[in-house]
Amino acid sequence: MKRLKVTEARAVGTTGEPSWALAPPDVSRLEPATLKMCQEALGGLLWLSTRTRIDIAYAVSKAASMAAACPRTSWYMIRRILRYLRTNPELGIRMKRADNRNLRCFTDASWAPGNGRSQTGVVICLGETPVLWKSSKQTLTAMSSAEAELIAISNGFQYAMGTEAVMACCDISLPVVIYTDNSPTVQTI
């Protein structure tokens, strides 16, 4: 963070800004040295978001998806995420002994109308501790928010079954419970 001069920037409380979704992306190119720093920082953030910092997974996913086509916008987003990490270094995964002995899979999706691909988020918890999480664009184009949620549930179910299989290899059998927040999707299932 020192090399990127993030330690001198003002503190921020969130990983992103609402204007990111509304403003047109800046497609101008970066200088080669800045582009290299951008790529290194993005690689580090991707590693961090998949290991210990579930709170930055969505923002890092968005920054990574824009890196090739809109490097200047991606660089702005990366600096914002780094400032957030500097502001909140104490956040991370806390392991707790839980009375709740099951795998809980939380899924959500944001529908992207108009030929866009929706975003899926999946978090799998063992008791109260997240053990797997993912935020990515869906591989299919959903025609409605309910369809986007169904795709998210399907992805979550696949990850939950994989996690359950790993637990079974350790002779641990746990029930899987899947949660979603979309009523029409629940009625469809």
Side-chain angles (χ1 to χ4, degrees):
M1 287 197 198
K2 287 180 184 175
R3 190 166 55 91
L4 300 172
K5 298 179 180 162
V6 175
T7 55
E8 302 163 9
R10 71 178 166 85
V12 294
T14 62
T15 57
E17 296 176 359
S19 63
W20 287 358
L22 303 174
D26 184 350
V27 295
S28 61
R29 295 287 168 210
L30 294 171
E31 300 76 35
T34 306
L35 182 60
K36 184 167 176 47
M37 274 197 309
C38 176
Q39 291 167 340
E40 288 175 3
L42 185 56
L45 288 173
L46 284 165
W47 184 88
L48 194 60
S49 73
T50 60
R51 300 302 190 281
T52 62
R53 293 298 297 255
I54 191 172
D55 54 329
I56 65 170
Y58 175 75
V60 171
S61 172
K62 295 304 274 184
S65 71
M66 299 182 87
C70 312
R72 191 167 300 278
T73 301
S74 181
W75 180 230
Y76 174 77
M77 295 167 78
I78 289 166
R79 289 193 332 246
R80 171 75 184 220
I81 296 165
L82 289 170
R83 287 180 15 223
Y84 168 79
L85 289 173
R86 183 183 64 90
T87 305
N88 302 290
E90 75 285 352
L91 296 179
I93 297 175
R94 304 263 191 260
M95 302 292 285
K96 290 185 189 176
R97 182 181 176 102
D99 297 331
N100 184 358
R101 299 270 314 181
N102 60 11
L103 285 174
R104 296 184 307 152
C105 176
F106 298 90
T107 65
D108 199 8
S110 64
W111 181 52
N115 297 336
R117 289 189 298 159
S118 303
Q119 188 82 15
T120 288
V122 176
V123 178
I124 297 178
C125 295
L126 176 57
E128 301 297 317
T129 306
V131 294
L132 184 145
W133 57 89
K134 184 163 180 75
S135 175
S136 61
K137 285 188 178 178
Q138 294 181 350
T139 55
L140 301 171
T141 303
M143 301 305 287
S144 67
S145 62
E147 191 174 321
E149 293 282 350
L150 278 171
I151 294 168
I153 290 171
S154 174
N155 290 342
F157 183 74
Q158 290 170 359
Y159 290 123
M161 292 299 98
T163 306
E164 183 185 43
V166 169
M167 300 300 284
C169 289
C170 301
D171 291 327
I172 300 172
S173 178
L174 299 173
V176 176
V177 181
I178 297 180
Y179 298 90
T180 188
D181 62 351
N182 189 289
S183 298
T185 305
V186 172
Q187 292 172 357
T188 302
I189 296 175

